[in-house]
Amino acid sequence: MSDAPKTSVSVTINGRAFEARPGELLIEAAERAGTYVPRFCYHPRMEPVGMCRMCLVEVDGPRGATLQPACYLRVNEGMSVNTESEKVKKAQDGVLEFLLANHPLDCPVCDKGGECPLQDQTLTHGSGETRFIEEKRHFVKPIEIGELVLLDRERCIQCARCTRFASEVSGDAQIAFAGRGDLIEVSPSPTVPFDSVFSGNVVQICPVGALTAKPYRFSARPWDLEQVESTCTTCAVGCRVAVQSSGNRLTRLLGVDSEPVNHGWLCDKGRFTLDSIDANEGSTDPLLASTRITEPMVRRNGALAAVGWSEALSVAANLLRDAAATPGGVGAIGGAALTNEGAFAWERFVRGVLGSEHVDAQYGDGLDPALLQALPKATIDEAASAGTVVTLTGDLREELPVLFLRLRESAVQKNNSLVELAFGSSALRSVARVSLPVRPGEANAVAQAIAGAAHSKDFAFSEGDLAKACGLIGESGEGVVFVVGRPNLAEDARVIEAAIRTLAERYPQATFLAVLRRSNVNGALDMGLAPQLRPGRGFDVSAAGRDTTAQIDAMVLGEQKAVLLLGGCLLGNVVNVARATAALEAANVVAVTGHGGATLAFADVVLPAAVQHERNGTVTNIEGRVSAVTAKIVAPGSAWPDVAIAAELAEEFGQSLGLSSVEGCAKAIEETTGYPALSVLNDDSSDGVVVGREGVVATRGPLDPMAFPGIRSAVTVGLGARTGSTLAVDLTTKSSTTAAALDQVSAGRGVDVPLADAYSLRLNVSRRLYDRGSAMQGSPPMHGLIRPSALCLNHVDLDRLGVTSGTVVSVIGVHGTVSLPVVLDGAVPRGSAEIPFATLSASGEYVLSALVVDAGVYSQIRLETR
Amino acid sequence: MASFDAPSIVLSRKGYADSFTLARYLETGGYVALRKALTMFPEDVAAEVDAASLLGRGGAGFPAGRKWSMLRKSPVSYLVVNGDESEPATFKDHFLVERDPHQLVEGVIIAAYALQVNQAFIYMRGEFALGLERVQQALNDAYEQGMLGRKILGSSFSIDVVVHPGAGAYICGEETALIEGLEGKRGFPRIKPPFFPAVSGLYGEPTVVNNVETMSNLPWIVNNGGAAFAALGGGRSTGTRLFALGGRVKNPGVYEIEMVKNTFRDLIYDPRLGGGILNDRKIKCFIPGGVSAPWFGPELLDLPLGQDEVAEKGSMLGSGSIVVMDEDTCVVRAAWRITKFFSRESCGQCTPCREGSGWLERVLYRLEHGGGRTEDFDLLLDLCDNIAPGLTWPPQQTTICVLGSSIPSSINSALTMFRDDFAAHVKNGGCTHE
Amino acid sequence: MSHFRQDIRQRADELVALYPRSRSAMLPLLHLAQEQDGYLSDEGIAEVAELTDTSAADVRGTASFYDMFHLEPVGKYVVGVCTNIACLLAGGEEMLEHASVTLGCAVGATSEDGLFTLEESECLAGCDVAPCVQVNHRYVRSTTPEEFDTLIDDLRRGRLDSDVPAHGTLIRVRRSGGLRAPRAEVAEQRTEAKAARDARAAKEEKK
Ligand SMILES: Cc1cc2nc3c(=O)[nH]c(=O)nc-3n(C[C@H](O)[C@H](O)[C@H](O)COP(=O)(O)O)c2cc1C
Ligand code: SF4
Ligand code: FES
């Protein structure tokens, strides 16, 4: 009885002995033993349901050998299995025949044709002839079940993958099975469409062509597609993807099952905004986000005019050189859109060539990177397996969608505890053990309350809930991961930084996952694109430089004469648009970018850069995982990779960065800083390496064409090539990177939070996934999903105002009044109001400039009905 | 001649028009057993049930005492009573819930006490509107009398019973689908293992599921002792049992008779029971235990009504419903109708059941209504074999629940026993029966 | 805000309180929604979703699994005729055909006056009075065409109003109260009982 827990169980598969893991599913054990069991409904990332019955195999038992489903039977000691007997073959052929009885034979017009598990298995196993002479089941042709997804019910084989995904994985069960028996069908509610931000996943995992994506439908045939594996940089989770193109046209992005990161899932923004990269050949106005910048441009007589590279580089160099002549005269903003190699090259350019310390990859909407560097770090996996996770972030589904999936899975499937410091509405709320509502300005007070477990009467949560949260966090914070971000853009970053510091000091055993969310911002910071930071996570406390907000101020004051914008649209990313506009008007502007945008109205020189899927390199995600990005298509027009632009611009200054190529740049990073780059770049099938983790190499498992159909190594049904194990370089980082100790960092020390006034509401400016960024605006299928601006209020405050959802009210802030419709949102804490970032007023101007500018530690607004 | 030596155990109030009222129940010895049980140790009550060797009456025939004792170690969280009775031609539980609801309620409280469960659910077929009302009334009465609720009858035992209406789905009689229905979900049977709700049932907690008739036997067993019950019947089949007799007999109805001591012939022909075949025609075949069971020919009429006796001959006593077909019956139509039932009631999870039942139904429809082909016979048998390999009984299960593997029973029976009838349908371009 | 009438909403809340988890009240709540509207309206479904903490698609999908729930309006009387095996042998098919003629509507359809919806039922567990007919899930004796016509006539004239309520109303006997066994006390009692059981088992083992 007191035996040590078994580490393996012996099973026999087709006469061969195999050591399986205790409790392992037979289908998985068989697969690891090299025996492929056919299947449809089984999906390695979801609970087995045993519906299709394709996986029947013969298992010896007390009643002799019987047919058992391998997909949910768990191995046990001495189990003997035959997967190849006549009986097994007959049963599987029978199931296939049953599945085809009602399945339409429309492969030639079906999107899945050519990459369809059903089609493939039929070709491999099927008899090819049907004994079914009756009329097939008919449904009205495809129905639109949401903005992005179509459903062809005739083709459905009832595997429950999509419905399981919706209820189990993403937790928004807007689709469910309806009907019974052979009338069973997948169905949304007639009143609520399937508008999950994860809807593309159900399309990807559908083993037939029942669910198709509108953006991809009929756009290409599988055999035309070419593919590379890469990393999505739409946000900073770093999901591994297969990027497919037909010729030089991007057609599709598919999630690759990466164990440490995305488990094969993607969000719809990452998946479907491909059009913003290459489908807008028509749009040429550089002020539109939907325009790709393809040629260098120089401002002439007030307008941007296309010129050749040499002219553009020389004009840019002159502007920057002139500005650099005065101390503090030049700086750089941005860099999150760059690869690590690009960021490294630009860092060298700005510090080395321009001699400027004023550089910042964040837009004043993040956190002090020095503080984040000082924290003990957790990976996504560690957060997803921690006994307790505490979030101090905005709604993660809106900010880092796939991280949300991982944390949700942890809470639901693994029953780990989630404690939420809730700043506004949040999709994790329903799975949190405790949710403590926090109003603007309160974060550190709440953190102190947790640290000291003292409850102040003013909090929006009960003493009981506080005690529960403390109980779950424990004394030392052992086994606890704090996920920290910047929930409220209308609040001084110091408030949340102070809260983070409080927790870090109180819980020495806890680790932190910081969630700066903008594409490769983590890589840009690691490459030194921030004051006090140096490439390779170097840190220089003595250095002084301006961050973005300070640079904007300096430009307004005329102290900084020129700015180098590294990708991204400055005006689209700052809260105080009015002040940034004034800064751009005052200074000379050199913009390196692939996308148009409002910022370019102030640009003097525009240098066209290649964007994601057009360049090679590495990127770093929220957990510090470096993975490769791979070019699939050639950048349009004369656009160059950023490394090349930086190098050429340096040449104009008569200097050489010594970085002639991406590979050279990656090599330089690795050699000079020990930060993994070249080795990752060379292994495009690895899941990357986490910076500072000795010797941990994550190799991607074999691609599973049944689980994630459509990915191109899925040539035939069966075991995919084990591409992941081909390269196993030891990527032990050379020098251990500097972790700035907490006491060396000033961020988060003391901030005075003034009392709120009783007549106002404290403002919370939160993020939305479907925002007004260039990806969404530039993508026709996604564009329509950007929600109109609104002000979200709790029902108590709504009632107090005496209005109902939808009423347009006047919102009075420190710098003016704007009108917005109000929307009821029970999750908004009483006494506060939530406005999504980059909100436009009813008349079209950015509202936050009026409400947030110089508002102090947090912003207050008043509402008036008209 | 049928044996009527055994006492009436569950139908003792059959003769009273007001058998469902509290007054009549109390007057006829009601709730005496409960009072007695409450003076015993719960384990001792369970031991009596074990001694009675009471086989479950829901279909599978698993001994109730054994099921309960599997839970000795982990305390049971819920007791769920299966009153979903939807197996075609089964109508015994219908009779019990409408006519003797208090007996059921008393049985449930006894079982709950024996299992030390404090919340029980009676999942009842939604189409039993009157039964639902009668059982609800009985529960209300019992609460009023202090036999339900907090610390019942002065004991330290508290129990709540909730009656849960189903909504029209045969599959919810299958215990794991029933639990899904009780959890407010689609009635999808759960994958097994775990094989018993006792391991993981309602909300994943240990749960005992028992049939209405099984429960209704408990008051008598507590009053008279398990040994007295076990002395009736024979072999593993102890006690009396309700049989629902239907089809081409003179007196269809629910009869309580002693097991094993009586045969199918007794039940069908005894004038006090079935009374023989309608219009005194000849019997062609009969289904011994619900439409999931393989059929028997007249040569097995003298088989005793016992669980093992029937199993030995390759069928089952199942839900205790016996359907009689006479020489005028079209077996093709009968098999078609039964298959249509399964096709309509398949929950739709398993491919062989969902697609296979519909396919079989359409082939049979063709045979019955014209358009049948001789090659359809082999097609039917082969499709059946793909659903339940080997076509033996009990079936080799390739589906999540036994509904799937039950589909072939009637088709296989009809085709093997009456292939000529099928051939005639092909020859005549359809059915020539009335 | 509530789509349910006040009394229905109150009963709904009482139902939810009977179960350890709110979703368990799904089927009774759907019956209740049907009692108010005669069928399951989108509004009714939305309210059940709210009460059970599920989504509208989930509620609708669940409801559509069960034959007794109607997602489209039906007649005041839903007439079910069984044609399953025992009734088939007693003329169920013929009865269904006759019903279709009498009501003037096809199986699955509603009569022109909107009063009757005809359904072919699976076994209704009334095989001793075959062929078996139910109206709104009440057993009504009708084994011959004549009896069926009289039944329909009686229903039309309201003679059966007290026996057969309009479609949707299933159980007219209300539960006389909520749960009475207090959960905390029960939990305590369970622990005690277990301790007593263990002690007794230990004693027996010693013997
Ligand atoms: C398809 C199917 C339908 C069933 N229907 C019923 C039913 O209507 N009533 C019932 O009591 N048991 C039914 N059962 C059996 C139950 O699963 C379960 O064995 C029984 O309720 C246990 O109670 P018992 O041990 O008292 O018989 C059915 C089983 C299957 C596979
Ligand atoms: S065998 Fe049929 S009824 Fe049973 S679970 Fe499978 S599909 Fe459902
Ligand atoms: S039943 Fe096992 S894969 Fe579908």
Side-chain angles (χ1 to χ4, degrees), chain A residues 173-180 187 189-191, chain C residues 42 55-58 60-62 64-67:
Chain A
Q174 296 156 333
I175 47 172
F177 271 138
R180 197 176 65 207
S187 166
S189 139
T191 49
Chain C
D42 287 345
S55 70
D58 211 346
R60 192 172 177 279
T62 305
S64 66
F65 187 86
Y66 298 93
D67 290 340

Side-chain angles (χ1 to χ4, degrees), chain B residues 76 94 143 164 182 203 248, chain C residues 19 24 89 123 125 175 190:
Chain B
V76 188
H94 170 203
Y143 270 109
H164 185 90
L182 195 47
Y203 314 122
R248 310 288 295 168
Chain C
Y19 296 89
S24 274
L89 298 177
C123 178
R175 189 182 165 93
R190 283 176 73 90

Side-chain angles (χ1 to χ4, degrees), chain B residues 25-26 28-38 106 110 147 219 222-223:
Chain B
Y25 191 62
L26 289 174
T28 49
Y31 291 112
V32 171
L34 174 61
R35 287 176 197 280
K36 179 174 174 192
L38 290 175
E106 185 175 8
I110 291 172
M147 290 178 288
V222 169
N223 276 331

Side-chain angles (χ1 to χ4, degrees), chain B residues 4 36 52 75 155 163 166 173 203 232 256 272 300 304 323 383 386 404 413 421:
Chain B
F4 288 94
K36 179 174 174 192
S155 73
V163 54
Y203 314 122
L232 301 171
E256 178 177 7
R272 292 160 295 178
L300 288 174
V323 181
L383 293 180
N386 284 345
S413 299
D421 287 25

Side-chain angles (χ1 to χ4, degrees), chain B residues 54-64 67 80-87 90 92-93 125 170-178 189 192 196 209-215 292 318-319 342 401-404 406:
Chain B
L54 171 65
L55 300 184
R57 304 298 200 228
F62 194 83
K67 191 185 283 186
V80 176
V81 180
N82 190 340
D84 194 56
E85 183 171 70
S86 310
E87 178 78 18
T90 313
K92 63 189 183 71
D93 295 344
R125 183 168 182 186
Y170 163 67
I171 194 60
C172 284
E174 198 274 351
E175 56 194 5
T176 61
L178 177 138
K192 296 143 190 105
F196 287 101
V209 182
N210 270 131
N211 168 263
V212 160
E213 185 189 341
T214 313
M215 289 286 119
S292 305
S319 62
F342 283 125
C401 84
V402 218
L403 186 149
S406 303

